[in-house]
Amino acid sequence: MDDLDKLMSDLDRMSKNAEKLDGDHEFSFEDLFTNDFLNKYTSFKTTDDLLSAIPVDNAKSFDDFDKPVVDEIINKNSQFSSFTEMRDEAVEFYALNGLSNGTSFDIH
């Protein structure tokens, strides 16, 4: 397969991936805050490390977080100033990974 064929194949795959991402989706904490994301943007190595640092009873609901306390933890342990900023970047990271899945494009 030559370079043009590979590019066309990757673009076709990305188009199919985009169709899967289209519409409304619900994401779990673990879906968004993967080890790859955490290692790239924070001092946390795993999702468990992040959850251990955040004083919440139920990590499945982002709205249940004590925002000032969590924002302070995120600010000290990442390049983000707030949990909301980190969450927004995690959604973008998730979408870009979803688009490039199965292609030769690497967003890490």
Side-chain angles (χ1 to χ4, degrees), residues 2 14 20 26 28 38 42 44 63 65 71 78-79 100:
D2 68 9
M14 288 180 77
K20 291 178 189 174
E26 289 189 26
S28 72
L38 294 173
T42 77
F44 302 110
D63 295 328
F65 290 172
D71 286 349
S78 75
Q79 64 185 43
S100 65

Side-chain angles (χ1 to χ4, degrees), residues 1-2 5-6 11-12 15 25 29-30 35-36 47 50 52 54 70 72 74 77 86-88 90 92 97 100-101 103:
M1 180 180 289
D2 68 9
D5 288 338
K6 178 65 176 151
L11 291 174
D12 183 53
S15 176
H25 298 276
F29 195 88
E30 291 80 10
N35 294 348
D36 285 341
T47 304
L50 173 59
S52 294
I54 297 175
V70 173
E72 183 178 338
I74 297 305
N77 293 285
M86 185 172 83
R87 183 202 58 215
D88 292 348
E92 184 177 322
N97 272 312
S100 65
N101 186 31
T103 71

Side-chain angles (χ1 to χ4, degrees), residues 52-65:
S52 294
I54 297 175
V56 293
D57 293 329
N58 182 1
K60 294 188 185 300
S61 175
F62 300 138
D63 295 328
D64 291 340
F65 290 172

